[in-house]
Amino acid sequence: MSDVPDDLTGPVGDLDVDPALAAAVLEIEGHVADEGWDQPSRLYALVDTARLVEREPALAAATGLNDSSAAGSLTPVEQDQLPPEVALEAVLEQISWPEGVTGCAAVVERLVLPPGADTELPASAAEAEEFARAHPDRQDVRIVAGATRAGATYCALRLRAHDDAQSVVTGADLVPALVRLLAATLEDVHDDDPGAGSVTEEDDR
């Protein structure tokens, strides 16, 4: 279950968004969508591409990046696979990013119930999950949410029932609780090297 909007069948437009963050979130969404549904949650660091080109010229050359294409963009760097037994929200409450990380993004799949169905949920978390999966009007949704240190946020939502790129819903604050958690991970600054993680296919431009 998740705090996503009730109406997810049409596009949502936001003019006041960070275009670099929006591009990174949509890049991740497209990459993950190519791999299908029923995937584990994922976490990404978002690093300034120009800085990446400067620090990792061989990697930049291999992915077709140059000073022109890097200007003003963010590169997603996928982190180690998250433990499947721990909820994404619990993981986010325990992490912070080094100073060189400009932002972060997360991918998670959730079940969304129709309005009013929450009142029927059992008190037990396990029973509530089973209830949601068995509900005839449930919706499977994949959420990709991102945030930057500058305070920008962006989300992309895809319904399993409308599984095409044209039906992806986007907006700056579609999943407020999740973007707040992501933003909080960027508040504590460390001096560690930001290069942890491995650059994945979504970095190919």
Side-chain angles (χ1 to χ4, degrees):
M1 290 69 73
S2 184
D3 59 339
V4 298
D6 294 333
D7 181 8
L8 293 178
T9 58
V12 174
D14 278 280
L15 298 178
D16 188 21
V17 300
D18 180 339
L21 175 61
V25 166
L26 292 173
E27 186 178 351
I28 293 170
E29 198 285 328
H31 171 72
V32 175
D34 288 342
E35 298 186 6
W37 289 84
D38 303 317
Q39 298 184 50
S41 300
R42 301 185 184 190
L43 186 62
Y44 296 81
L46 301 178
V47 298
D48 181 81
T49 308
R51 182 174 179 178
L52 184 64
V53 169
E54 179 182 353
R55 291 167 58 93
E56 302 286 349
L59 174 63
T63 55
L65 292 172
N66 54 43
D67 291 341
S68 176
S69 62
S73 67
L74 296 172
T75 293
V77 181
E78 186 170 3
Q79 304 302 287
D80 293 338
Q81 185 171 341
L82 302 178
E85 70 278 5
V86 181
L88 171 65
E89 291 80 0
V91 173
L92 293 176
E93 289 172 352
Q94 301 174 32
I95 68 170
S96 60
W97 298 97
E99 184 177 2
V101 172
T102 301
C104 60
V107 180
V108 63
E109 294 183 10
R110 287 289 184 261
L111 292 174
V112 180
L113 296 178
D118 285 353
T119 60
E120 306 171 32
L121 285 173
S124 163
E127 291 179 356
E129 181 74 13
E130 183 177 349
F131 171 87
R133 291 192 178 281
H135 199 287
D137 296 322
R138 73 182 187 282
Q139 292 274 16
D140 295 286
V141 62
R142 182 187 300 115
I143 304 165
V144 184
T148 68
R149 291 192 189 277
T153 61
Y154 200 73
C155 306
L157 309 180
R158 181 187 293 248
L159 286 171
R160 197 167 193 162
H162 301 276
D163 192 6
D164 60 85
Q166 290 71 35
S167 298
V168 173
V169 181
T170 61
D173 197 26
L174 296 181
V175 192
L178 181 55
V179 295
R180 281 196 298 269
L181 284 173
L182 289 168
T185 68
L186 297 161
E187 292 175 357
D188 295 327
V189 176
H190 298 279
D191 293 328
D192 302 329
D193 190 289
S198 57
V199 178
T200 54
E201 289 181 347
E202 58 267 29
D203 304 322
D204 296 334
R205 299 173 189 269

